[in-house]
Amino acid sequence: MATISNDKALRDLLERLSAEQQRLIGLRFAQSLVHLSRDERVKRAIETGLRTDVSASELEDAYRGAKAWSTKTYTDCGKDTDWLAQGDHFVAAAVAAALTPDSMLPDNKTNRAWKAAMHARMANNCELVEGDGNAHLDEVKRQYEIASEFASAD
């Protein structure tokens, strides 16, 4: 069983993955914070993207839904606002990152899963700042565990 225990090992794993595998693990990262999402499109996008029988048009629709919510909630970031609203934005951004179609990637160096992981960490940070007591204290470790499971199954 491969054990991921630091960001270098995580990034190395993610760089070796195909676009489909990046999508799947990126959505798993976002899924661990779905409780912060207030939009059903984001939740459906995760469910759709994790399906093995998903079509290209379904993936594109899921991406558009998550991206629309991410764009709508973007204005909450940077304002003196509810931290959970910002967490909601970052969950949507993580889902959109994982589902980004090839044609919309700015370059060949963008890794969907890494971008999703970073947005998921930001969502978790927002939840921690809010301090409602239910936040996971070590999202990074949780990502390492997801990646280790993913690497072992591969």
Side-chain angles (χ1 to χ4, degrees):
M1 178 170 143
T3 301
I4 306 298
S5 60
N6 59 58
D7 275 356
K8 180 178 179 349
L10 176 63
R11 192 146 195 172
D12 288 347
L13 169 70
L14 299 179
E15 291 299 327
R16 291 191 307 269
L17 299 179
S18 69
E20 179 181 7
Q21 291 171 316
Q22 288 178 38
R23 180 188 86 233
L24 293 172
I25 196 169
L27 289 171
R28 295 259 330 266
F29 294 151
Q31 186 179 40
S32 71
L33 293 155
V34 72
H35 62 278
L36 295 176
S37 180
R38 297 177 295 170
D39 191 84
E40 286 303 314
R41 291 174 296 180
V42 173
K43 295 171 184 178
R44 279 193 312 270
I46 292 171
E47 292 171 11
T48 299
L50 288 173
R51 285 189 7 235
T52 56
D53 64 340
V54 67
S55 70
S57 63
E58 288 173 310
L59 284 174
E60 187 173 332
D61 288 345
Y63 165 77
R64 289 177 193 259
K67 183 66 175 174
W69 188 249
S70 173
T71 301
K72 181 177 177 22
T73 58
Y74 178 76
T75 57
D76 287 339
C77 293
K79 293 189 323 190
D80 185 24
T81 189
D82 178 0
W83 283 99
L84 293 179
Q86 291 188 36
D88 180 26
H89 161 75
F90 285 114
V91 172
V95 174
L99 291 170
T100 304
D102 289 339
S103 62
M104 300 184 94
L105 289 175
D107 56 41
N108 290 334
K109 296 178 184 177
T110 300
N111 185 288
R112 294 167 179 88
W114 179 254
K115 195 170 178 181
M118 295 303 102
H119 285 302
R121 290 179 187 185
M122 291 297 294
N124 182 246
N125 287 341
C126 292
E127 186 177 27
L128 288 168
V129 170
E130 185 66 26
D132 68 359
N134 294 323
H136 191 276
L137 296 177
D138 199 347
E139 184 61 26
V140 174
K141 183 178 176 194
R142 185 165 32 184
Q143 289 179 352
Y144 295 162
E145 290 168 0
I146 291 168
S148 293
E149 290 171 16
F150 195 88
S152 295
D154 189 34

